[in-house]
Amino acid sequence: MEKDFRITSAKQYEETMITIFEMQEQEEPLNAQQKADMEIMMKAAERYEEEEL
């Protein structure tokens, strides 16, 4: 996942939040890449919340 992932719409925000939730709920432990991707998505979601909500 690209480091400068940006959320630009409410639909993209919703899809990102669903993806994060699904990653957290999976039975197998997350690997390092999945953890890094989730961190990038969470930061993008926080940035979107601050700017748009």
Side-chain angles (χ1 to χ4, degrees), residues 3-4 8-10 14-15 17-18 20 22 26 28 30 33-34 37-38 40-44 46-48 50-52:
K3 292 279 187 203
D4 193 32
T8 57
S9 68
E14 181 180 335
E15 290 169 353
M17 297 306 286
I18 290 169
I20 291 169
E22 288 173 348
Q26 72 183 20
E28 299 106 34
L30 298 175
Q33 183 62 50
Q34 289 172 314
D37 288 348
M38 189 167 66
I40 291 169
M41 287 188 285
M42 290 173 69
K43 286 180 181 177
E46 288 175 14
R47 189 169 37 233
Y48 181 80
E50 290 172 0
E51 294 173 0
E52 302 295 329

